[in-house]
Amino acid sequence: MQLEFFQLTVLGDRKINQDSMAHIVNDDYALFIVADGLGGHQAGEKASQFFCQGMLKFSQTYCSKIIAQNNPAEVFLAWINDAINEMRVLFADDQLASKAYTTCAILYLDDRISMAAHCGDSRIYRMTPQEILWRTRDHSIPQDLLDLGLITEDQLAQHSEQNQLTRSINVNKNHGVDIKLLPVISKNETFVLCSDGFWGHIKNGELLELADLESNKANLTKLTRLSIYRANGKSDNVTVMSIRCR
């Protein structure tokens, strides 16, 4: 499994970046994480950072279990729960903990499977240069309206309740994550992980540029700038990862 990946995170029009990202790539597996903190200055920033730190802390233990066992989704869920427990440890006695939330988009890859986990409205896309094959389903009010046929995909990002989430990660573990087992990544396929600050202003046809086999990195930078420009001075933090199998 030969992977090529690029990542970028920028402030947008905010004063602080509450998005976090992390990755591990080695000979046995690859892990990619995007987290978008919620809860105001410091609270959201800490939540996303601490969650990523928790995932990385237990990576070796749980990746070995995923590779060795036949219940990868169950192991993945236990890993995420331990990462949330680590968030609680890192917050210690900080009173911000109960008000600190984060979304997450997590991608695990090895030679047998691809596995995605998400909570909130940070997304994972799977695509070829020709089409988007799959994306995560947002845990948000507009996504529920889309599922009911009351709004269109194009209307989702600009809906007045776009930032109203139905799930997010907190040390109190009020909400769970969705885990999806997927076929192993194929040659010339691309996964994209991103916060809503990115996908909210990028059209699906434009998103396919991140699966371009020659200009992946340049297109990532271009689309990030385009997302900020289209926000017209109100851009959220923008974070995106692009992972392609060569």
Side-chain angles (χ1 to χ4, degrees), residues 5 30 35 40 42 48 97 103 115 139 169 174 186 189 192 198 232:
F5 77 95
Q42 289 194 318
S48 64
T103 69
M115 194 158 46
H139 299 125
I169 289 175
N174 294 326
S186 299
E189 281 189 339
V192 172
F198 179 79
N232 195 28

Side-chain angles (χ1 to χ4, degrees), residues 92-229:
D93 296 326
D94 193 334
Q95 294 183 353
L96 291 173
S98 63
K99 299 179 181 179
Y101 297 82
T102 185
T103 69
C104 73
I106 312 167
L107 178 67
Y108 169 90
L109 303 173
D110 66 26
D111 289 332
R112 299 181 307 147
I113 59 170
S114 301
M115 194 158 46
H118 84 289
C119 186
D121 61 356
S122 290
R123 288 184 177 180
I124 304 172
Y125 294 85
R126 186 175 192 157
M127 64 185 76
T128 67
Q130 292 76 38
E131 62 177 330
I132 295 174
L133 303 173
W134 172 82
R135 77 157 172 90
T136 50
R137 178 191 175 277
D138 302 337
H139 299 125
S140 69
I141 289 176
Q143 178 71 63
D144 291 343
L145 296 175
L146 175 64
D147 293 345
L148 292 170
L150 299 177
I151 63 173
T152 66
E153 183 81 32
D154 290 340
Q155 293 172 321
L156 187 152
Q158 308 308 320
H159 193 274
S160 60
E161 295 182 289
Q162 193 275 321
N163 63 347
Q164 298 300 306
L165 302 184
T166 55
R167 289 196 212 174
S168 56
I169 289 175
N170 175 265
V171 296
N172 296 321
K173 294 186 177 180
N174 294 326
H175 302 133
V177 300
D178 284 346
I179 295 176
K180 180 78 171 178
L181 282 172
L182 301 163
V184 64
I185 189 171
S186 299
K187 184 177 180 180
N188 295 335
E189 281 189 339
T190 298
F191 278 99
V192 172
L193 286 70
C194 58
S195 62
D196 66 319
F198 179 79
W199 66 257
H201 296 282
I202 299 299
K203 300 174 183 177
N204 283 351
E206 295 166 337
L207 192 65
L208 289 176
E209 295 181 25
L210 295 183
D212 185 284
L213 303 183
E214 302 300 330
S215 304
N216 189 299
K217 184 177 182 179
N219 288 340
L220 186 147
T221 301
K222 182 186 76 172
L223 291 179
T224 297
R225 291 173 176 170
L226 181 61
S227 178
I228 294 170
Y229 172 77

Side-chain angles (χ1 to χ4, degrees), residues 16-76:
I16 189 167
N17 194 342
Q18 297 191 87
D19 289 358
S20 296
M21 58 183 179
H23 70 274
I24 299 172
V25 178
N26 60 36
D27 292 338
D28 296 321
Y29 65 88
L31 176 74
F32 304 92
I33 309 166
V34 166
D36 179 357
L38 312 164
H41 176 52
Q42 289 194 318
E45 180 186 16
K46 288 182 177 181
S48 64
Q49 289 178 355
F50 291 167
F51 178 74
C52 288
Q53 287 177 232
M55 289 297 296
L56 294 180
K57 178 177 180 178
F58 300 107
S59 60
Q60 186 171 356
T61 298
Y62 279 107
C63 286
S64 297
K65 291 181 179 180
I66 289 172
I67 293 169
Q69 298 182 15
N70 295 321
N71 55 348
E74 182 178 322
V75 176
F76 206 23

